[in-house]
Amino acid sequence: MLVPKEKKQTSWHPGFKEHARRGHSLALFLVQALLAALKDLNENQNKDIDELLLQFQKEEEELKANFSKADLPKDYKKAFKVDEKFVRDFDVSLFFKGRSLCHTGRLPSQTRYLGYLTNTQKVGGPGVVGNETYDVGVNDKEVIANPTNGSMRLAWEARDRERCPAVIKPDYKDFFMTTDKVGWAKLSFPNDAEKTAYNYVPSQFKGVIVLVFRSCDWGKCEKGFLDEEDYQKKRWEMKVNSEPVIEIGDIGAGAMLLKGKDGIYFTPNEEGAYDFEIKVNEPNSFVKLSSFIIF
């Protein structure tokens, strides 16, 4: 056994069975896709390989286009709980069909491993704790003990990491963090690496912004953790490209829709990006956000 006592395993919780079921379902889908690809190659083995590649790429683009234009299920609106008092006449189909770009600290994520998220040359993949080569950020205790003025920091929690000679858990709920000692903390998204990697064109996005809080185990967050209710009580505040965020609305699963003085649509800056500024007003408190998403 690599880890004598692995965390979060109990005899009373059926979680491992659910994970096994999902794993098998994902594996069967991938095997089916692999078999379909091999069948296509076998049926077209006499064709020129470059011509065949172009044919398959064209088919893939057509499938993507058809998927984005297809009708949604009748109950698709139930996937999100957008309060009409918060925003009127908003078509949530944007969340399914619209262009989107996500800036997330969570792992596993190729944007972390390839250095896009941090806009650095630090790259790698899932690794043994302490031996990673991509940018892992800093311990959240470090953010509290040594605040850095002017920026939100990519952070992680020590309790989420397990020391082991092998990679047994690549899933981590990392996040962007700021505290009451920082003042206005800034995060710009998308950065230069993201713009290049994803061929970012600002005009293809509506300017709708969603934030996702770092999730808390069993819904119980640690002391000092500020959420959407604290925002309404002015315990922390936020601006997007210098425009104050008047309100944030819960749309489910810890995701929040932002609203400014002119509604939910924000305009990018001259560089086509969005500058997020967050200030914590409550003493001995902090904000932990796992993801910034633009639609």
Side-chain angles (χ1 to χ4, degrees):
M1 182 179 291
L2 293 173
V3 181
K5 188 176 181 181
E6 190 173 344
K7 294 180 180 179
K8 300 182 179 180
Q9 285 191 350
T10 59
S11 59
W12 56 266
H13 199 287
F16 72 98
K17 293 182 180 179
E18 176 64 17
H19 292 164
R21 185 186 68 82
R22 292 182 182 180
H24 278 82
S25 298
L26 291 169
L28 288 172
F29 171 78
L30 293 174
V31 169
Q32 186 179 33
L34 175 61
L35 292 174
L38 291 173
K39 182 180 178 181
D40 282 342
L41 290 173
N42 184 59
E43 292 175 351
N44 295 278
Q45 56 184 307
N46 294 325
K47 285 189 177 181
D48 178 75
I49 191 67
D50 293 325
E51 179 184 343
L52 188 60
L53 177 60
L54 290 174
Q55 175 188 326
F56 288 154
Q57 287 176 331
K58 181 181 178 181
E59 291 178 4
E60 183 177 12
E61 291 303 317
E62 290 175 350
L63 286 171
K64 284 182 181 178
N66 291 336
F67 181 79
S68 63
K69 295 175 183 177
D71 292 334
L72 293 170
K74 292 181 180 180
D75 57 352
Y76 74 93
K77 292 184 179 180
K78 294 181 180 179
F80 297 94
K81 53 176 185 180
V82 180
D83 189 345
E84 290 188 0
K85 294 180 181 179
F86 178 78
V87 55
R88 294 183 181 277
D89 302 321
F90 174 63
D91 186 0
V92 297
S93 66
L94 176 69
F95 294 147
F96 297 93
K97 295 186 174 184
R99 291 292 299 263
S100 64
L101 194 60
C102 182
H103 188 81
T104 182
R106 294 182 69 106
L107 288 168
S109 169
Q110 285 298 101
T111 60
R112 289 279 303 273
Y113 298 147
L114 297 176
Y116 301 158
L117 183 86
T118 51
N119 201 23
T120 68
Q121 297 301 313
K122 291 183 177 181
V123 298
V128 173
V129 175
N131 294 327
E132 304 94 338
T133 55
Y134 61 91
D135 193 338
V136 298
V138 298
N139 190 314
D140 65 335
K141 303 302 182 187
E142 171 69 16
V143 179
I144 295 172
N146 298 297
T148 300
N149 289 334
S151 64
M152 290 198 75
R153 301 175 73 181
L154 178 63
W156 47 272
E157 296 176 349
R159 63 179 180 177
D160 204 28
R161 261 59 172 179
E162 290 186 65
R163 294 286 175 177
C164 182
V167 179
I168 58 170
K169 178 192 169 189
D171 305 88
Y172 299 121
K173 298 182 291 186
D174 294 359
F175 46 85
F176 304 94
M177 180 179 179
T178 186
T179 76
D180 61 302
K181 303 296 192 300
V182 175
W184 284 102
K186 184 177 178 180
L187 182 148
S188 294
F189 164 57
N191 60 41
D192 291 340
E194 290 168 323
K195 291 177 183 176
T196 300
Y198 305 122
N199 298 314
Y200 174 69
V201 179
S203 61
Q204 295 179 346
F205 296 79
K206 300 294 185 181
V208 173
I209 299 173
V210 171
L211 300 184
V212 183
F213 285 100
R214 188 222 62 195
S215 59
C216 302
D217 292 340
W218 308 105
K220 297 180 180 179
C221 299
E222 66 269 35
K223 184 179 180 181
F225 186 99
L226 298 180
D227 58 18
E228 70 277 9
E229 292 184 5
D230 295 302
Y231 193 83
Q232 312 309 336
K233 295 175 182 177
K234 310 297 183 184
R235 290 172 179 163
W236 62 288
E237 54 189 302
M238 175 170 34
K239 295 186 287 187
V240 178
N241 290 338
S242 299
E243 178 185 342
V245 174
I246 305 302
E247 192 176 357
I248 60 177
D250 184 2
I251 59 174
M256 303 290 145
L257 187 63
L258 305 193
K259 184 178 182 180
K261 61 181 177 62
D262 297 321
I264 62 171
Y265 299 97
F266 292 83
T267 303
N269 61 24
E270 294 180 354
E271 288 75 38
Y274 297 84
D275 292 330
F276 297 89
E277 295 177 271
I278 292 177
K279 182 174 181 289
V280 176
N281 300 320
E282 185 74 8
N284 303 313
S285 300
F286 46 82
V287 170
K288 294 180 176 180
L289 297 169
S290 74
S291 308
F292 295 76
I293 310 166
I294 55 174
F295 291 89

